[in-house]
Coordinates of all heavy atoms in Angstrom, one line a residue:
V1 N 2.6 -12.3 -2.4 CA 2.5 -12.3 -3.8 C 3.8 -13.0 -4.4 O 3.7 -13.8 -5.3 CB 2.3 -10.9 -4.4 CG1 2.4 -11.0 -6.0 CG2 1.0 -10.3 -4.0
A2 N 5.0 -12.7 -3.8 CA 6.2 -13.2 -4.3 C 6.3 -14.7 -4.2 O 6.9 -15.4 -5.1 CB 7.4 -12.5 -3.6
I3 N 5.7 -15.3 -3.1 CA 5.8 -16.7 -2.9 C 4.6 -17.5 -3.4 O 4.8 -18.6 -4.0 CB 6.0 -17.0 -1.4 CG1 7.4 -16.4 -0.9 CG2 5.9 -18.4 -1.0 CD1 7.6 -16.4 0.5
C4 N 3.4 -16.9 -3.2 CA 2.2 -17.7 -3.6 C 1.8 -17.4 -5.1 O 1.2 -18.3 -5.7 CB 1.1 -17.2 -2.7 SG 1.3 -17.6 -0.9
H5 N 2.2 -16.3 -5.6 CA 1.9 -16.0 -7.0 C 3.1 -15.4 -7.7 O 3.0 -14.2 -8.2 CB 0.7 -15.0 -7.1 CG -0.6 -15.6 -6.4 ND1 -1.4 -16.5 -6.9 CD2 -1.1 -15.2 -5.2 CE1 -2.4 -16.8 -6.0 NE2 -2.2 -16.0 -5.0
P6 N 4.2 -16.1 -7.8 CA 5.4 -15.5 -8.3 C 5.3 -15.0 -9.8 O 6.0 -14.1 -10.2 CB 6.4 -16.6 -8.2 CG 5.6 -17.9 -8.1 CD 4.4 -17.5 -7.4
L7 N 4.5 -15.7 -10.6 CA 4.4 -15.4 -12.0 C 3.6 -14.0 -12.2 O 3.8 -13.4 -13.2 CB 3.7 -16.5 -12.8 CG 4.4 -17.8 -12.8 CD1 3.6 -18.9 -13.6 CD2 5.8 -17.7 -13.4
H8 N 2.8 -13.6 -11.2 CA 2.1 -12.4 -11.3 C 2.7 -11.2 -10.5 O 2.1 -10.2 -10.5 CB 0.6 -12.6 -10.8 CG -0.1 -13.6 -11.6 ND1 -0.3 -14.9 -11.2 CD2 -0.7 -13.6 -12.8 CE1 -1.0 -15.6 -12.0 NE2 -1.3 -14.8 -13.1
Y9 N 3.9 -11.5 -9.9 CA 4.5 -10.5 -9.1 C 4.7 -9.2 -9.8 O 4.4 -8.1 -9.3 CB 5.8 -11.0 -8.5 CG 6.5 -10.1 -7.5 CD1 6.1 -10.1 -6.2 CD2 7.6 -9.3 -7.9 CE1 6.7 -9.3 -5.3 CE2 8.2 -8.5 -7.0 CZ 7.7 -8.5 -5.6 OH 8.4 -7.7 -4.7
A10 N 5.3 -9.2 -11.0 CA 5.6 -8.0 -11.7 C 4.4 -7.2 -12.1 O 4.4 -6.0 -12.2 CB 6.5 -8.3 -12.9
T11 N 3.3 -7.9 -12.4 CA 2.1 -7.2 -12.9 C 1.2 -6.8 -11.7 O 0.5 -5.8 -11.9 CB 1.3 -8.2 -13.8 OG1 1.0 -9.4 -13.1 CG2 2.1 -8.5 -15.0
V12 N 1.3 -7.4 -10.6 CA 0.5 -7.0 -9.4 C 1.2 -5.9 -8.7 O 0.5 -4.8 -8.4 CB 0.3 -8.2 -8.5 CG1 -0.4 -7.7 -7.2 CG2 -0.6 -9.3 -9.1
L13 N 2.4 -6.0 -8.4 CA 3.1 -5.0 -7.6 C 3.9 -4.1 -8.5 O 5.2 -4.1 -8.6 CB 4.0 -5.6 -6.5 CG 3.3 -6.3 -5.4 CD1 4.2 -7.1 -4.5 CD2 2.5 -5.3 -4.6
T14 N 3.2 -3.2 -9.2 CA 3.9 -2.2 -10.1 C 4.3 -1.0 -9.3 O 3.9 -0.9 -8.1 CB 2.9 -1.8 -11.2 OG1 1.8 -1.2 -10.6 CG2 2.4 -3.0 -12.0
N15 N 5.1 -0.1 -9.9 CA 5.5 1.1 -9.2 C 4.3 1.9 -8.7 O 4.3 2.5 -7.7 CB 6.4 1.9 -10.0 CG 7.8 1.2 -10.2 OD1 8.2 0.4 -9.4 ND2 8.5 1.7 -11.2
E16 N 3.3 1.9 -9.6 CA 2.1 2.7 -9.3 C 1.3 2.1 -8.0 O 0.8 2.9 -7.2 CB 1.1 2.7 -10.5 CG 1.6 3.5 -11.6 CD 2.7 2.8 -12.4 OE1 2.8 1.6 -12.2 OE2 3.3 3.5 -13.3
V17 N 1.3 0.8 -8.0 CA 0.6 0.1 -6.8 C 1.4 0.4 -5.5 O 0.8 0.7 -4.5 CB 0.5 -1.4 -7.1 CG1 0.1 -2.1 -5.8 CG2 -0.5 -1.7 -8.2
I18 N 2.7 0.3 -5.6 CA 3.6 0.6 -4.4 C 3.4 2.1 -4.0 O 3.2 2.3 -2.8 CB 5.1 0.3 -4.7 CG1 5.3 -1.1 -5.1 CG2 5.9 0.8 -3.6 CD1 4.9 -2.1 -3.9
A19 N 3.4 3.0 -4.9 CA 3.2 4.4 -4.6 C 1.8 4.6 -4.0 O 1.6 5.3 -3.0 CB 3.3 5.3 -5.8
G20 N 0.8 3.9 -4.5 CA -0.6 3.9 -3.9 C -0.6 3.4 -2.5 O -1.3 4.0 -1.7
M21 N 0.1 2.3 -2.3 CA 0.2 1.8 -0.9 C 0.8 2.9 0.1 O 0.3 3.1 1.2 CB 1.1 0.6 -0.9 CG 0.4 -0.7 -1.5 SD 1.6 -2.1 -1.3 CE 0.5 -3.4 -1.9
G22 N 1.8 3.5 -0.4 CA 2.5 4.5 0.5 C 1.5 5.7 0.8 O 1.4 6.1 1.9
V23 N 0.8 6.1 -0.2 CA -0.2 7.2 0.0 C -1.3 6.8 0.9 O -1.7 7.5 1.8 CB -0.7 7.7 -1.4 CG1 -1.9 8.7 -1.2 CG2 0.3 8.3 -2.2
A24 N -1.8 5.5 0.7 CA -2.9 5.0 1.5 C -2.5 4.9 3.0 O -3.2 5.3 3.9 CB -3.4 3.7 1.0
V25 N -1.3 4.4 3.2 CA -0.8 4.2 4.6 C -0.6 5.6 5.3 O -1.0 5.8 6.4 CB 0.6 3.5 4.6 CG1 1.3 3.6 5.9 CG2 0.4 2.0 4.3
T26 N -0.1 6.5 4.5 CA 0.1 7.9 5.1 C -1.2 8.6 5.4 O -1.5 9.1 6.5 CB 0.9 8.8 4.2 OG1 2.2 8.1 3.9 CG2 1.2 10.1 4.7
A27 N -2.2 8.5 4.4 CA -3.5 9.1 4.6 C -4.2 8.5 5.7 O -4.9 9.2 6.5 CB -4.3 9.0 3.3
R28 N -4.2 7.1 5.8 CA -4.9 6.5 6.9 C -4.4 7.0 8.3 O -5.2 7.3 9.2 CB -4.7 5.0 6.9 CG -5.4 4.2 7.9 CD -5.1 2.7 8.0 NE -3.8 2.5 8.5 CZ -3.4 1.3 9.0 NH1 -4.2 0.2 8.9 NH2 -2.1 1.1 9.4
S29 N -3.1 7.1 8.4 CA -2.5 7.5 9.7 C -3.0 9.0 10.1 O -3.4 9.2 11.2 CB -1.0 7.5 9.6 OG -0.5 6.2 9.4
F30 N -2.8 9.9 9.1 CA -3.1 11.3 9.4 C -4.6 11.5 9.6 O -5.0 12.3 10.5 CB -2.5 12.2 8.3 CG -1.1 12.4 8.5 CD1 -0.1 11.5 8.0 CD2 -0.6 13.5 9.2 CE1 1.2 11.7 8.2 CE2 0.7 13.8 9.4 CZ 1.7 12.9 8.9
I31 N -5.5 10.8 8.8 CA -6.9 11.0 8.9 C -7.4 10.4 10.2 O -8.2 11.0 10.9 CB -7.6 10.4 7.7 CG1 -7.3 11.2 6.4 CG2 -9.1 10.4 7.9 CD1 -7.8 10.6 5.1
T32 N -7.0 9.2 10.5 CA -7.5 8.5 11.7 C -7.1 9.2 13.0 O -7.9 9.3 13.9 CB -6.9 7.1 11.7 OG1 -7.2 6.4 10.5 CG2 -7.5 6.3 12.9
L33 N -5.9 9.8 13.0 CA -5.4 10.4 14.2 C -5.6 11.9 14.3 O -5.3 12.6 15.3 CB -3.9 10.1 14.4 CG -3.6 8.6 14.6 CD1 -2.1 8.3 14.5 CD2 -4.1 8.1 15.9
F34 N -6.1 12.5 13.2 CA -6.4 14.0 13.2 C -7.2 14.4 14.4 O -7.0 15.5 14.9 CB -7.0 14.4 11.9 CG -7.2 15.8 11.7 CD1 -6.1 16.7 11.5 CD2 -8.5 16.4 11.9 CE1 -6.3 18.0 11.3 CE2 -8.6 17.8 11.7 CZ -7.6 18.6 11.5
P35 N -8.2 13.7 14.8 CA -9.0 14.2 16.0 C -8.3 14.2 17.3 O -8.8 14.9 18.2 CB -10.2 13.1 16.0 CG -10.2 12.5 14.7 CD -8.8 12.5 14.2
L36 N -7.2 13.4 17.5 CA -6.6 13.3 18.8 C -6.2 14.6 19.4 O -6.6 14.8 20.6 CB -5.4 12.4 18.7 CG -5.6 10.9 18.7 CD1 -4.3 10.1 18.8 CD2 -6.6 10.4 19.8
P37 N -5.5 15.5 18.8 CA -5.2 16.8 19.4 C -6.4 17.6 19.9 O -6.4 18.2 20.9 CB -4.4 17.6 18.3 CG -3.9 16.5 17.4 CD -4.9 15.4 17.4

């Protein structure tokens, strides 16, 4: 986004979007691997 769409960077990657990414990454890891034990 920073290089290909620099004018939209601030509107695309808001704090809410970054927080959502963090939650999604964490949830994916724990949900996907929950069956392993």
Side-chain angles (χ1 to χ4, degrees):
V1 176
I3 294 173
C4 299
H5 304 283
L7 298 179
H8 299 100
Y9 184 79
T11 56
V12 171
L13 289 171
T14 61
N15 289 343
E16 290 76 14
V17 170
I18 297 298
M21 287 181 175
V23 171
V25 165
T26 304
R28 182 188 72 163
S29 299
F30 281 84
I31 292 172
T32 305
L33 295 170
F34 184 75
L36 281 189

